[in-house]
Amino acid sequence: MKAENVPLPPTSRKCPECGSHRIMKDYESAEIVCMGCGYVVVAELTNQGPEWRAFDDEQRAKRARAGAPATFTIHDKGLSTMIDWHDHDVYGKRIAPGQKAQIYRLRKWQRRIRVSDATERNLAFALSEISKIANNLNLPKNVLETASVIYRKAVKQRLVRGRTVEGVTAAAIYVACRQCGVARTLEDVSQASPMSKKEVGRSYRFLIKKLHFFIRPVKAGQYITKFCNQLTMQGKVEEIAHKILFVAKKLKLTSGRGPTGMAAAASYIASVLTGERKTQREIAEIAQVTEVTIRNRYKELVDRLQFIIIL
DNA sequence: AAGACGAAAGTGGTTGA
DNA sequence: TCAACAACTTTCGTCTT
């Protein structure tokens, strides 16, 4: 799932804050952001459309179908038919009293069958847990779906046995974030779930080992985008921060360093250079690193970089 | 007074024997 | 399994704006 920042057609949206048309879809932090002033136009990018495309009316008629699309986030993939609670038939007529009791019995049994055995119940609980965490973290739908698929795989391979459902669900979310390139730290995920960071981390390592996932390390650039948005800084600041990071990479200043600290320092320097100054503490709080770390990275960067060139 | 700076000691995770 | 290690944190005193 490769995601890139895609500029929307210039006329389609206007920033309500500054009126600029430079609105970008930012899939990494799941936001639609104004590049002019940094205003977050829409906080959650979700896929509302159908998964198919139609080029004329005939195709549209062929491909359109009733019902919601299948989803992995509901334990029966949302495909089951429910007998609704209205006592009316398809024509809207009232059901005869004799049939009413029968319909009632059918409803009751459907309820019982739908979430029947223990594994189904477990799955239903886990998937609702995943939805909860994803909601808390404002994650886009593709991450939620990915996490659900990962959890299903874990259940299938009997990996949940002996660990808590909450731990594995949180770990599945974290794996999904990493796979989809959404910048969320282990800290973020554990705070949105009832489990500790340590436990989520343990389950995470367990999952990627057993499911043979290859996880690319998070790039500091992903965090820059996130931090600048959270600090409501202008698009210009973010641009410069990315440039700083780019040069830092060339000079091999990033190797071995934590991406959050690196991104925090780059954001800090960019904020100072543009005059839209943020304190080290403000950035440290959002980046979940200490001021000292920002200072250390900052010093390394300032010692080696010539900022006049960047500006 | 708030923010920045930096030294020193402590913490948790990784690596290699 | 354990020690060594680097990155990072915590704490605290001092300097700067």
Side-chain angles (χ1 to χ4, degrees):
Chain A
M1 255 177 260
K2 179 89 180 94
E4 280 169 46
N5 287 354
V6 182
L8 292 172
T11 48
S12 70
R13 258 216 162 93
K14 208 172 149 187
C15 174
E17 198 65 18
C18 70
S20 161
H21 285 288
R22 294 171 65 207
I23 307 287
M24 301 273 284
K25 275 188 188 183
D26 180 357
Y27 288 105
E28 287 176 3
S29 65
E31 290 165 338
I32 294 179
V33 183
C34 171
M35 293 309 281
C37 66
Y39 182 83
V40 178
V41 183
V42 181
E44 267 176 284
L45 282 180
T46 47
N47 172 24
Q48 294 107 344
E51 79 288 6
W52 43 265
R53 288 201 296 169
F55 297 98
D56 53 40
D57 279 347
E58 198 187 330
Q59 282 186 9
R60 194 167 296 120
K62 246 187 206 166
R63 286 176 197 176
R65 29 167 221 267
T71 173
F72 288 101
T73 62
I74 302 174
H75 77 286
D76 58 7
K77 298 182 190 174
L79 292 175
S80 57
T81 304
M82 283 301 290
I83 303 169
D84 78 1
W85 48 271
H86 292 290
D87 285 329
H88 295 279
D89 62 13
V90 283
Y91 305 108
K93 274 194 266 179
R94 293 201 134 267
I95 291 170
Q99 280 185 327
K100 228 169 161 178
Q102 192 190 356
I103 297 289
Y104 176 78
R105 278 198 302 279
L106 279 171
R107 266 194 215 115
K108 190 162 81 184
W109 276 104
Q110 186 178 42
R111 247 197 337 268
R112 286 178 184 172
I113 289 163
R114 193 157 175 258
V115 188
S116 53
D117 57 289
T119 43
E120 281 290 295
R121 252 201 313 277
N122 185 306
L123 194 58
F125 170 72
L127 293 177
S128 81
E129 196 66 24
I130 287 176
S131 296
K132 245 187 265 172
I133 299 170
N135 248 339
N136 277 341
L137 290 170
N138 263 333
L139 294 175
K141 205 150 194 170
N142 66 329
V143 178
L144 174 60
E145 289 275 339
T146 308
S148 304
V149 172
I150 291 165
Y151 188 83
R152 282 167 188 277
K153 274 186 192 164
V155 171
K156 216 172 190 178
Q157 299 196 22
R158 301 181 179 283
L159 300 179
V160 191
R161 286 187 151 210
R163 13 196 110 242
T164 58
V165 176
E166 287 94 337
V168 181
T169 49
I173 287 271
Y174 186 58
V175 174
C177 284
R178 298 291 293 268
Q179 283 188 336
C180 298
V182 173
R184 293 291 183 280
T185 59
L186 200 53
E187 185 91 31
D188 290 332
V189 176
S190 65
Q191 272 173 7
S193 94
M195 304 309 286
S196 70
K197 185 180 166 188
K198 202 170 161 187
E199 184 57 42
V200 178
R202 193 181 300 158
S203 299
Y204 162 73
R205 284 191 297 275
F206 181 75
L207 277 189
I208 55 172
K209 196 169 128 198
K210 292 286 178 183
L211 294 174
H212 307 293
F213 282 137
F214 174 70
I215 308 284
R216 271 171 296 162
V218 201
K219 297 204 179 83
Q222 296 174 326
Y223 285 116
I224 287 180
T225 308
K226 187 185 168 205
F227 297 161
C228 287
N229 287 344
Q230 285 183 327
L231 289 162
T232 62
M233 296 202 280
Q234 285 188 20
K236 179 89 180 156
V237 183
E238 189 184 327
E239 238 174 276
I240 291 171
H242 275 114
K243 278 183 191 166
I244 292 169
L245 185 68
F246 180 76
V247 181
K249 263 185 204 154
K250 290 264 165 191
L251 292 170
K252 308 250 188 271
L253 290 175
T254 55
S255 76
R257 266 75 227 257
T260 42
M262 217 58 232
S267 303
Y268 174 67
I269 295 170
S271 86
V272 173
L273 285 177
T274 52
E276 206 186 324
R277 200 190 179 98
K278 301 278 175 198
T279 62
Q280 294 180 352
R281 186 180 300 167
E282 280 177 284
I283 296 179
E285 207 167 306
I286 282 179
Q288 290 168 326
V289 293
T290 58
E291 296 158 66
V292 182
T293 304
I294 294 180
R295 281 201 287 276
N296 290 338
R297 292 299 91 75
Y298 165 78
K299 197 162 177 302
E300 290 163 8
L301 286 167
V302 170
D303 285 348
R304 298 286 304 276
L305 297 183
Q306 314 258 300
F307 288 111
I308 305 100
I309 298 168
I310 294 171
L311 285 171

